[in-house]
Amino acid sequence: MENILVDVQVNAAIITINRPKQLNALNKRTIEEINHALSTLSKNREVRGIIITGAGDKAFVAGADIKEFAHFSKEEGKELARSGQEKLFDFIEHYPKPIIAAVNGFALGGGLELAMACHMRIASENARMGLPEVSLGLIPGYGGTQRLPQLIGKGKAIELITTAKMIDAKEALQYKLVNYVVSLDELLPKASEIIKSISHNSPTAITAAIKSINVGFDHRENGFEKEINEFGNCFGSEDFVEGTTAFMEKRKPNF
Ligand code: CAA
């Protein structure tokens, strides 16, 4: 891996995007490396959740790599968005284990889109977030026009996208764009603490919950129907037997 670091710890794996001189901008190779690391980690049963963060104390990710796409044609632009969404953004949203974005500085354009594709976001006090694409003559291409309104509501999303304005961590918390704001030192410990509490619960049920929640935002399918199906499927799992047995035996489940 050239552009990312992967650190597997107890329960959690930390993926650090490691291009600090370019403020961790997402180029094609970085997207492929994250996809590869996540694919490998999905098979590791010890890993119960993933944390994605950026190297250095200045940026989480300052966007898609502008230098890489500056001369792209219309067709190349479409392909950049399509393949990025498939390989990284949609892949993360539908990943079977919870992924937390630990936003440690600038999260702009594709960087905020990456954080929004994750299942949760925690920001450090110095974080600054925005979708400045219209200032480059673009629109967000990695799902930002869809996920920002889902997270903060349509009116505020249109304001942020059309003004290209950056918001600080406090405002992001106020808009419910992030779950918590902590100091930079507390950022990874806070994310690890959440994954630790997730690790007490059934991985099968967690995957089913992620799938059901996601379908609620996909207007092509009925979220309630999906929930009914996923709920029913849980009854066939070993984790369900262990969870209910442990409850009745008044002990902690061992998933
Ligand atoms: N792509 C490529 N390189 C980037 C980058 C990006 N998105 N953001 C920063 N860099 C590079 C800079 O070019 C600079 O490199 P050099 O030293 O080689 O010149 C280095 O990172 C440091 O950046 P700055 O000198 O600009 O740092 P600063 O502190 O003055 O400013 C900043 C920080 C406000 C974040 C500024 O770098 C900036 O505005 N970056 C671009 C943010 C942006 O527009 N992001 C959206 C990208 S488009 C997108 O993401 C499309 C999509 O949805 C698919």
Side-chain angles (χ1 to χ4, degrees):
M1 298 286 186
E2 197 175 275
N3 296 335
I4 65 168
L5 304 168
V6 181
D7 180 14
V8 179
Q9 304 190 338
V10 184
N11 300 318
I14 303 176
I15 296 178
T16 305
I17 300 165
N18 190 27
R19 299 181 74 212
K21 285 192 184 141
Q22 299 301 308
L23 303 188
N24 304 319
L26 285 179
N27 60 5
K28 193 166 176 252
R29 184 176 177 126
T30 308
I31 288 178
E32 273 161 13
E33 288 185 5
I34 303 171
N35 172 286
H36 184 261
L38 286 173
S39 302
T40 307
L41 291 168
S42 69
K43 294 172 206 125
N44 184 338
R45 289 171 60 90
E46 304 300 311
V47 172
R48 308 294 284 269
I50 314 276
I51 299 166
I52 299 183
T53 195
D57 56 9
K58 189 166 172 187
F60 171 68
V61 168
D65 191 323
I66 301 168
K67 291 161 190 158
E68 194 176 64
F69 69 59
H71 303 292
F72 274 14
S73 66
K74 247 189 194 179
E75 282 314 310
E76 287 171 314
K78 262 191 200 166
E79 184 47 31
L80 176 87
R82 190 183 306 285
S83 75
Q85 290 199 18
E86 276 172 20
K87 283 188 187 146
L88 191 59
F89 298 81
D90 293 348
F91 188 68
I92 286 178
E93 184 167 74
H94 298 291
Y95 196 70
K97 308 178 194 210
I99 303 186
I100 301 178
V103 180
N104 58 313
F106 288 114
L108 300 174
L112 180 54
E113 291 173 296
L114 174 62
M116 292 193 295
C118 293
H119 302 117
M120 286 169 255
R121 286 147 294 284
I122 306 173
S124 57
E125 285 153 351
N126 63 319
R128 301 196 70 196
M129 285 161 251
L131 292 177
E133 284 89 343
V134 295
S135 70
L136 293 164
L138 278 177
I139 64 164
Y142 285 152
T145 63
Q146 305 305 300
R147 294 193 181 98
L148 190 61
Q150 283 172 11
L151 286 165
I152 70 171
K154 188 173 164 186
K156 209 69 207 171
I158 292 183
E159 182 187 334
L160 285 186
I161 291 171
T162 56
T163 58
K165 190 185 118 182
M166 274 189 228
I167 55 171
D168 62 21
K170 239 177 162 178
E171 277 178 286
L173 185 64
Q174 194 188 326
Y175 301 156
K176 301 193 169 80
L177 182 55
V178 299
N179 295 27
Y180 300 97
V181 176
V182 296
S183 70
L184 198 50
D185 288 347
E186 289 168 67
L187 187 61
L188 293 181
K190 179 70 190 172
S192 301
E193 180 195 309
I194 294 175
I195 291 177
K196 188 176 172 206
S197 57
I198 287 170
S199 74
H200 300 305
N201 302 319
S202 155
T204 319
I206 286 167
T207 304
I210 291 173
K211 282 191 200 166
S212 300
I213 293 165
N214 283 344
V215 170
F217 291 94
D218 183 343
H219 302 303
R220 288 165 300 186
E221 279 191 70
N222 180 323
F224 292 103
E225 202 50 48
K226 181 72 177 171
E227 186 185 271
I228 291 166
N229 284 329
E230 289 296 337
F231 182 76
N233 287 342
C234 291
F235 284 73
S237 75
E238 280 175 23
D239 284 351
F240 173 73
V241 175
E242 170 60 11
T244 46
T245 307
F247 172 79
M248 286 179 292
E249 291 175 356
K250 298 192 186 298
R251 61 172 174 82
K252 282 210 158 80
N254 184 13
F255 292 121

